[in-house]
Amino acid sequence: MYCFEKCVKYVSKMAYITTAISGTSFCVSAYRSIQLFQRESSLISIVYMISQFILTLSKVLISLTSGCLAYLWLTYGFPEGEGVSNAAFPLLLSMIFGYFVAEAVLDVYTTGIDTILLCYSLDKENNAENGNLKAGSSLRKFIAHNKTKKKTASGEEEEDDEDDMSDAKFAAVAPEASGNGGGAIVSI
């Protein structure tokens, strides 16, 4: 049940990002983000694992830093004889508070990472054929460099297959300027 809940939350997050990018409804965006996740599962999984490791490490370091600062303040911040008798409970509270603040702040970075990853995947999908990628040169160099490092279990280099995904491109219905209620398909 826990795994199902995590998957639904992740798909919902990706669907909201897709809705913001392409302007489609939530259900359509959820379906398209699941399709994109299936096509780019290796890249998304690797980025997700690395980002979760770094963000978890950051949360722990922020809570430990808040605990250390609270200890220094409680130990050396008061005049002689006016300090607290036991610093354990205030330290625990400051570490818990620091963790929850870090959780709230780093959630914004998690959403940013997911958005950049989704934008890169869509850019690669829509613009790779004509060579007009919108991704920055440093991101393209990083992906190309790491793609060459891929090895199979036998030690041979694995070739990266380019799938024909022309039918799965994101499309949004945009109203025409004439105002007659018709729509035109706009490829994003």
Side-chain angles (χ1 to χ4, degrees), residues 126-185:
N126 293 332
N127 299 322
E129 293 173 359
N130 59 9
N132 190 20
L133 289 175
K134 307 294 186 219
S137 61
S138 61
L139 179 62
R140 286 188 299 213
K141 286 178 188 175
F142 177 76
I143 297 290
H145 176 69
N146 287 326
K147 193 182 287 187
T148 59
K149 288 184 177 180
K150 266 206 272 189
K151 301 273 185 182
T152 61
S154 64
E156 298 173 3
E157 292 207 14
E158 181 180 299
E159 293 186 23
D160 196 22
D161 296 334
E162 290 294 325
D163 298 332
D164 182 25
M165 297 173 257
S166 60
D167 59 319
K169 290 183 180 177
F170 281 54
V173 176
E176 289 184 17
S178 63
N180 62 1
I185 303 283

Side-chain angles (χ1 to χ4, degrees), residues 32-48:
R32 290 179 177 167
S33 65
I34 289 171
Q35 286 180 333
L36 183 66
F37 185 78
Q38 288 174 347
R39 288 189 300 270
E40 299 287 337
S41 62
S42 62
L43 178 66
I44 291 173
S45 299
I46 289 171
V47 169
Y48 182 76

Side-chain angles (χ1 to χ4, degrees), residues 83-142:
V84 293
S85 61
N86 189 359
F89 185 69
L91 287 179
L92 182 65
L93 282 179
S94 69
M95 289 176 71
I96 291 172
F97 182 72
Y99 178 80
F100 285 119
V101 168
E103 178 81 29
V105 170
L106 293 177
D107 189 42
V108 174
Y109 286 105
T110 304
T111 304
I113 291 168
D114 290 340
T115 304
I116 291 170
L117 180 62
L118 187 61
C119 287
Y120 174 75
S121 298
L122 289 174
D123 183 39
K124 183 176 115 176
E125 191 174 282
N126 293 332
N127 299 322
E129 293 173 359
N130 59 9
N132 190 20
L133 289 175
K134 307 294 186 219
S137 61
S138 61
L139 179 62
R140 286 188 299 213
K141 286 178 188 175
F142 177 76

